[in-house]
Amino acid sequence: LGLGVVEQLGQRGYRVVLASRDPEAGERAAARARARGRDVIAAALDVASAESIRAFSEALGPDRIDAIVSNAGVALDCFDLSVVQRTLAVNYFGATAVVRALEDRLGVGSRVVMVSSAMGALDGFDRRVRARFEAPGDFAAIEGALSEFEEAVRLGRETAEGWPRSAYRVSKIALNAWTRLYAEQMRPRDVHVNAVCPGWVRTRMGGAGASRSVREGAEGVVWAAMLPRGGPTGGFFRDGARIAW
């Protein structure tokens, strides 16, 4: 999906930084894009590593960033405390930390796109879980709820407390709550912050049986990354249409 976003933004004339945990694979992908006339550079980034995020931010330099697409995500097999911690480290803490590391370079009209999932929609959760994420007072409240989730899993009480046995789903409801708060924080700077559900896409994560092509999944992300000044902020979208949180 990330490669699809890079390709479509490159087609539209943007200079794109392709971030990858594997620098060699990232450079090969960037080279293929450049061979098609795209302005793409590769950079190393592991969102689960604070040191990697710091190095990535420094490597980008001080120039203005027109758009951040926070696309890193994992959907791991099985369900236990280790899976929960690894999933949240990437899908919530890593995805948001990258944005925080780059936010000083966002200017008027810049866009932040958090790639999320309808699997994190509020109406799919037990009311007790929904209450933790529907209107959190601050970012600490979101992270406190995630700590409660981890503790419930450690004690084997997640089902009794209303949590789903899916670290991925919890990571996305938390990411959506973070997006709403961050959009309000950035509103005075006129930075557009939105979450996008790309749908079920035929990627390594989605599998060969998924209903949507990479091109189709990337289009909604690219739409949000190119919003004009005065466009929507603080919303959840699929294919450019607002959907319920």
Side-chain angles (χ1 to χ4, degrees):
L1 183 63
L3 286 173
V5 171
V6 168
E7 174 65 17
Q8 291 188 28
L9 288 174
Q11 284 177 337
R12 290 160 172 80
Y14 282 85
R15 187 182 197 209
V16 185
V17 178
L18 184 162
S20 171
R21 284 180 301 163
D22 183 337
E24 293 182 359
E27 178 52 40
R28 288 194 297 271
R32 290 193 296 270
R34 289 193 295 269
R36 296 191 296 275
R38 320 298 183 224
D39 186 1
V40 178
I41 59 175
L45 175 62
D46 180 352
V47 304
S49 163
E51 175 59 26
S52 178
I53 292 173
R54 183 196 60 77
F56 173 74
S57 176
E58 291 180 356
L60 290 187
D63 293 345
R64 171 190 160 106
I65 296 173
D66 293 308
I68 300 172
V69 175
S70 191
N71 180 61
V74 294
L76 304 175
D77 293 334
C78 303
F79 181 83
D80 58 24
L81 183 58
S82 173
V83 167
V84 166
Q85 291 171 334
R86 289 158 57 202
T87 301
L88 295 179
V90 174
N91 294 10
Y92 177 81
F93 292 103
T96 59
V98 170
V99 176
R100 290 293 196 184
L102 303 177
E103 69 182 10
D104 287 347
R105 277 156 276 186
L106 297 170
V108 171
S110 292
R111 312 99 177 168
V112 175
V113 185
M114 309 305 291
V115 178
S116 188
S117 169
M119 293 180 70
L122 288 162
D123 64 3
F125 288 81
D126 182 282
R127 59 178 176 76
R128 292 168 290 177
V129 174
R130 245 186 355 256
R132 291 173 169 88
F133 294 101
E134 196 159 14
D138 52 30
F139 299 106
I142 299 172
E143 290 165 18
L146 293 178
S147 293
E148 291 176 17
F149 175 50
E150 287 190 28
E151 181 65 6
V153 173
R154 187 183 73 80
L155 297 173
R157 291 190 48 81
E158 66 277 358
T159 301
E161 295 181 14
W163 295 99
R165 289 179 55 81
S166 169
Y168 181 83
R169 289 184 61 201
V170 173
S171 73
K172 294 303 183 179
I173 193 175
L175 187 69
N176 287 354
W178 185 93
T179 302
R180 295 194 296 277
L181 285 180
Y182 193 65
E184 289 306 309
Q185 177 181 316
M186 299 300 282
R187 192 181 296 273
R189 291 174 53 181
D190 199 14
V191 173
H192 306 74
V193 182
N194 294 289
V196 170
C197 171
W200 185 22
V201 180
R202 291 190 293 277
T203 62
R204 281 182 294 178
M205 180 187 292
S211 58
R212 314 195 83 188
S213 68
V214 168
R215 179 188 59 78
E216 290 170 323
E219 283 175 349
V221 178
V222 170
W223 169 83
M226 296 180 60
L227 287 171
R229 189 174 176 187
T233 190
F236 192 17
F237 295 90
R238 181 168 49 224
D239 298 332
R242 193 179 292 268
I243 59 177
W245 284 109

